[in-house]
Amino acid sequence: DAGVIQSPRHEVTEMGQEVTLRCKPISGHNSLFWYRQTMMRGLELLIYFNNNVPIDDSGMPEDRFSAKMPNASFSTLKIQPSEPRDSAVYFCASSSSVTQPQHFGDGTRLSIL
Amino acid sequence: QKEVEQDPGPLSVPEGAIVSLNCTYSNSAFQYFMWYRQYSRKGPELLMYTYSSGNKEDGRFTAQVDKSSKYISLFIRDSQPSDSATYLCAMKITSGTYKYIFGTGTRLKVLA
């Protein structure tokens, strides 16, 4: 079975540019999560979708960050404008329900110069 | 103080050794405990999922929870070089919550 698929795997861009990260959850999973991982803070939940609806976006750092889930098989996380402090690894995870474990993609390594 | 504390390591052991990885936590409401393994440049992969106190075994892996001490452990028997990875603990309060609180991970190196 295909796992969670994220693209791109690596992104290097200059400060001020728009960045779009993409995620395809596991088929049949109705819960989708975006996380950010840094050495200092570990894994932090940014936003949670259930059945394509954003349920909790309290972890989104600021208005520069936005996320959408237009259908059950696709989600995007957008940063506009990007800043060097946004550099991190961004993970998407999905689960078949909130009671079931979350399965992670391999992440997007983002570097903002 | 972080809700979940985990020694970052690195922890280096010889092949075949028994490895003990630990997390402490401050919130006594946590009831569900997980261990994830994360290889370099990969996403976290679920290893163990336990509820409340006690032990759970799966092959060479044993997860142990001591709620009275707010302390959880992952033991790896007969460690292999392929076990070299970062191990993240995670916990949540109820089965119905989506909010996992993760430790920052312990980096393990098993030397051949």
Side-chain angles (χ1 to χ4, degrees):
Chain A
D1 287 342
V4 175
I5 299 172
Q6 292 186 246
S7 64
R9 290 298 314 278
H10 304 274
E11 176 86 17
V12 180
T13 192
E14 292 188 347
M15 182 175 69
Q17 297 297 307
E18 178 179 292
V19 173
T20 300
L21 311 181
R22 296 172 176 80
C23 174
K24 177 178 169 57
I26 293 172
S27 178
H29 282 192
N30 63 1
S31 295
L32 184 137
F33 310 83
W34 282 101
Y35 286 88
R36 179 169 66 178
Q37 186 178 41
T38 60
M39 291 288 289
M40 289 302 296
R41 300 171 69 91
L43 270 168
E44 298 175 289
L45 178 65
L46 299 178
I47 188 167
Y48 160 56
F49 289 88
N50 184 252
N51 292 324
N52 313 337
V53 176
I55 303 299
D56 181 359
D57 65 355
S58 60
M60 297 285 262
E62 45 199 277
D63 292 345
R64 297 184 298 105
F65 285 69
S66 62
K68 293 182 180 179
M69 191 164 186
N71 57 62
S73 59
F74 184 66
S75 177
T76 59
L77 178 68
K78 187 175 290 188
I79 309 172
Q80 166 65 17
S82 56
E83 296 183 4
R85 61 194 166 117
D86 303 330
S87 298
V89 183
Y90 290 80
F91 286 102
C92 177
S94 70
S95 67
S96 55
S97 76
V98 290
T99 61
Q100 297 303 309
Q102 297 173 18
H103 297 266
F104 286 77
D106 284 338
T108 295
R109 187 169 297 267
L110 178 64
S111 295
I112 309 296
L113 307 177
Chain B
Q1 183 187 4
K2 294 178 181 175
E3 276 192 283
V4 178
E5 299 275 3
Q6 197 173 1
D7 189 322
L11 175 64
S12 294
V13 301
E15 183 176 357
I18 296 174
V19 175
S20 172
L21 302 165
N22 310 296
C23 284
T24 58
Y25 61 94
S26 57
N27 188 346
S28 58
F30 287 131
Q31 294 193 73
Y32 294 82
F33 304 91
M34 291 142 281
W35 285 96
Y36 281 82
R37 177 176 62 195
Q38 185 175 17
Y39 290 115
S40 180
R41 312 245 170 199
K42 292 289 195 177
E45 169 196 11
L46 182 68
L47 275 180
M48 303 287 280
Y49 184 93
T50 58
Y51 168 70
S52 196
S53 287
N55 292 359
K56 181 176 180 179
E57 191 172 317
D58 184 0
R60 295 185 296 111
F61 299 91
T62 299
Q64 190 174 80
V65 176
D66 182 350
K67 291 188 71 181
S68 62
S69 301
K70 300 193 189 75
Y71 190 88
I72 66 171
S73 300
L74 178 71
F75 298 97
I76 307 175
R77 288 184 300 280
D78 188 24
S79 57
Q80 303 295 309
S82 59
D83 295 326
S84 298
T86 296
Y87 290 79
L88 305 167
C89 64
M91 42 199 83
K92 61 178 184 173
I93 294 174
T94 67
S95 66
T97 183
Y98 52 87
K99 289 195 175 182
Y100 290 19
I101 306 300
F102 284 88
T104 50
T106 298
R107 198 165 139 221
L108 171 67
K109 294 182 180 179
V110 181
L111 306 172

